[in-house]
Amino acid sequence: LLSPPEEVEDASEPTKRDRSHLESTLKLNEEKPADDVSGVLQRLRKIYHSSIKPLEHSYRYNELRQHEITDGEITSKPMVLFLGPWSVGKSSMINYLLGLDNTPYQLYTGAEPTTSEFTVIMHGPKLKTIEGIVMAADSARSFSPLEKFGQNFLEKLIGIEVPHKLLERVTFVDTPGIIENRKQQERGYPFNDVCQWFIDRADLIFVVFDPTKLDVGLELEMLFRQLKGRESQIRIILNKADSLATQELMRVYGALFWSLAPLINVTEPPRVYVSSFWPHDYHPETHRDLFLKEEISLLEDLNQVIENRMENKIAFIRQHAIRVRIHALLVDRYLQTYKDKMTFFSDGELVFRDIVEDPDRFFIFKSILAKTNVSKFDLPNREAYKDFFGINPITSFKLLSQQCSYMGGCFLEKIEKAITRELPDLLGSIGLGKKPNVLSCDVTGCGETPKNRYRKP
């Protein structure tokens, strides 16, 4: 009695898509020796701990930016973050890339909002689920700083370990879909702050849309404000493209750009991939060749980020070091100005309040710009220093000239040496055989090298 329904069910089941292009593009079957990154990572950790962290700790940089770099973050794999409205196919896309469909650990998918947790999919020897509280407690992982968002958030954080070759080189993070008619405070934890934490650490950010959810509301506007400055990492994905006829797809593609144009104020817009990322075959009578090419382009993009892991990591630590150095120079300048203005009869609190309220009158920021290797675009917000000194009294800091020891040298000299010599040398040691302009294109996904249109062929 049971066999006829089974036959009908099999007949109605959609055809599965061939996955060979996934394995070849992501090089999952190549038995090449693993890159020896452990030596480079050890040198990077040593540079950070000996040359950058002392100054960072001495001038309490973490209280200004609240971005403490742990050893777990230095050694972590590249992170790919999936963002976007609810039910656009973020979880289905991860299931497809990892082949998790019809396994006990496939991510829940459906037409209604299904993902209510931040789900971290990482490599492990066997399929296993890890509670958020356990992930945050493990200092070897890079997720321990998430404890600051509270227990309510940790209950909404989950880790899944999967023995998959792609996850040996990358970590995926699936996020709850944005629901425009729900206030974020209803979630019970600071949703936007958590998103910002992941955005700050992501190497690639997939913002996924589908043809039925192109409206941009307040929540999506807030998300794109948080993505400002990370445009080179963003990839826009128009998913479920095979559900539309060609003419309709062109209209939807135009509508997507129209909706996003006010939110992305950069000269070169992020790359948009148009395809259908799930295991079923493309809908008949659609541009399957185009969709397959788009999918392979996205996989190549992902592969570039994985292969540039070390370059991106070193560049990230160097960028962090530059910010720490500027912060130290500013605090030193505030302190020096305070000492210059103080007399025997002065009220220290009033003197310093004058300096903090109007730093331009005392040329605090302009004096830093006069120093070499400081860009005005790297200077932090001066308003942030009002809050910073409200918590950290100016008298609790030492001048940079006093931050020297006979054996250890000077903190400022060490961080400048790391920025100008040690980190670039480390970058050069792993960039053998690479053209100088390849790295920036790998990171930004700018594709082929621009041609000189003024030169005659």
Side-chain angles (χ1 to χ4, degrees):
L1 290 172
L2 293 174
S3 56
E6 281 180 4
E7 285 170 18
V8 171
E9 195 173 287
D10 289 343
S12 64
E13 192 172 308
T15 316
K16 294 285 184 185
R17 195 184 302 175
D18 177 33
R19 293 179 59 86
S20 58
H21 65 285
L22 270 168
E23 291 164 4
S24 60
T25 310
L26 295 172
K27 304 176 183 176
L28 299 181
N29 294 328
E30 287 186 19
E31 288 300 327
K32 60 178 182 180
D35 297 332
D36 182 26
V37 297
S38 56
V40 178
L41 285 173
Q42 286 300 101
R43 283 177 65 192
L44 186 59
R45 279 183 67 241
K46 188 178 177 186
I47 291 169
Y48 174 69
H49 281 285
S50 64
S51 303
I52 302 167
K53 195 162 187 178
L55 199 63
E56 184 182 334
H57 182 71
S58 178
Y59 287 96
R60 299 174 202 165
Y61 175 75
N62 296 330
E63 294 191 24
L64 182 79
R65 295 271 307 187
Q66 294 198 337
H67 187 170
E68 187 171 357
I69 294 181
T70 60
D71 284 354
E73 191 169 346
I74 293 174
T75 57
S76 65
K77 297 166 188 167
M79 183 191 290
V80 179
L81 182 63
F82 289 77
L83 297 168
W86 59 276
S87 197
V88 292
K90 299 187 293 293
S91 303
S92 298
M93 189 172 171
I94 295 172
N95 285 337
Y96 171 56
L97 291 172
L98 298 176
L100 293 179
D101 292 277
N102 302 320
T103 69
Y105 284 82
Q106 71 172 16
L107 303 180
Y108 291 119
T109 60
E112 74 288 353
T114 49
T115 304
S116 61
E117 296 98 4
F118 282 81
T119 309
V120 181
I121 303 100
M122 50 200 158
H123 185 264
K126 60 180 182 179
L127 286 168
K128 187 170 83 170
T129 304
I130 305 166
E131 297 295 324
I133 295 166
V134 177
M135 284 172 65
D138 185 355
S139 59
R141 298 184 193 275
S142 56
F143 301 104
S144 52
L146 286 169
E147 276 192 311
K148 69 182 177 185
F149 296 118
Q151 293 299 307
N152 275 353
F153 166 68
L154 294 181
E155 288 171 12
K156 293 290 184 183
L157 175 68
I158 193 162
I160 299 176
E161 286 190 349
V162 184
H164 193 282
K165 287 202 80 170
L166 179 57
L167 294 176
E168 289 177 9
R169 303 188 294 153
V170 71
T171 297
F172 290 138
V173 179
D174 192 15
T175 61
I178 291 163
I179 303 174
E180 290 294 348
N181 60 1
R182 178 186 294 172
K183 291 178 182 174
Q184 299 301 359
Q185 53 263 36
E186 290 175 17
R187 295 180 188 264
Y189 61 88
F191 176 77
N192 294 115
D193 292 344
V194 174
C195 280
Q196 190 67 60
W197 189 92
F198 281 105
I199 287 166
D200 287 343
R201 287 155 182 78
D203 296 81
L204 199 56
I205 301 166
F206 289 148
V207 186
V208 188
F209 294 90
D210 82 3
T212 64
K213 297 185 180 67
L214 300 181
D215 56 318
V216 175
L218 290 173
E219 300 303 338
L220 209 55
E221 278 185 30
M222 170 64 82
L223 178 69
F224 273 93
R225 273 205 294 274
Q226 291 179 279
L227 290 168
K228 196 165 181 60
R230 304 301 302 268
E231 285 82 7
S232 63
Q233 276 95 17
I234 299 172
R235 305 290 182 270
I236 308 288
I237 295 172
L238 180 55
N239 202 8
K240 307 181 187 179
D242 65 343
S243 63
L244 299 175
T246 307
Q247 196 173 4
E248 204 176 349
L249 179 60
M250 288 173 69
R251 286 196 192 116
V252 166
Y253 186 80
L256 178 64
F257 264 101
W258 179 261
S259 300
L260 297 182
L263 305 180
I264 306 173
N265 296 316
V266 287
T267 311
E268 188 178 336
R271 175 77 162 86
V272 178
Y273 293 99
V274 182
S275 190
S276 186
F277 296 93
W278 69 333
H280 306 308
D281 204 359
Y282 299 114
H283 199 277
E285 299 175 18
T286 56
H287 287 280
R288 52 190 308 124
D289 290 344
L290 169 69
F291 296 152
L292 183 59
K293 281 178 183 172
E294 287 280 278
E295 189 176 315
I296 289 170
S297 289
L298 180 130
L299 296 173
E300 286 170 346
D301 211 344
L302 174 59
N303 205 48
Q304 286 282 16
V305 168
I306 293 168
E307 292 189 349
N308 288 327
R309 170 197 175 188
M310 287 314 305
E311 288 97 327
N312 293 343
K313 194 76 74 178
I314 294 165
F316 166 70
I317 295 294
R318 186 172 180 273
Q319 185 184 42
H320 177 78
I322 289 168
R323 287 178 178 150
V324 171
R325 173 179 174 266
I326 289 172
H327 171 68
L329 289 170
L330 278 167
V331 175
D332 178 70
R333 182 65 188 167
Y334 271 104
L335 181 57
Q336 188 63 62
T337 306
Y338 171 73
K339 285 179 178 291
D340 291 346
K341 296 293 172 192
M342 279 294 287
T343 65
F344 184 74
F345 299 103
S346 299
D347 182 331
E349 200 173 313
L350 289 175
V351 168
F352 191 63
R353 192 185 303 161
D354 277 351
I355 299 169
V356 169
E357 287 296 329
D358 191 5
D360 288 345
R361 187 153 63 94
F362 301 95
F363 302 101
I364 302 277
F365 284 77
K366 286 181 180 174
S367 67
I368 302 304
L369 287 176
K371 296 184 183 295
T372 54
N373 299 328
V374 176
S375 163
K376 66 178 180 181
F377 302 107
D378 288 333
L379 288 179
N381 180 357
R382 55 202 67 196
E383 290 297 314
Y385 280 91
K386 288 184 186 177
D387 297 334
F388 177 77
F389 287 121
I391 300 164
N392 304 287
I394 189 67
T395 49
S396 63
F397 296 104
K398 288 182 181 177
L399 289 167
L400 277 170
S401 57
Q402 297 171 336
Q403 303 272 19
C404 298
S405 66
Y406 180 71
M407 296 295 288
C410 295
F411 286 177
L412 184 63
E413 285 176 11
K414 288 168 79 173
I415 200 167
E416 286 183 342
K417 184 181 171 189
I419 291 166
T420 56
R421 292 223 317 267
E422 293 173 342
L423 291 170
D425 287 352
L426 189 58
L427 192 59
S429 70
I430 59 168
L432 299 173
K434 284 204 168 193
K435 295 176 186 174
N437 68 330
V438 172
L439 174 62
S440 59
C441 276
D442 287 348
V443 173
T444 59
C446 58
E448 61 187 44
T449 309
K451 297 179 179 67
N452 183 347
R453 55 195 171 132
Y454 298 108
R455 183 184 295 168
K456 291 179 181 177

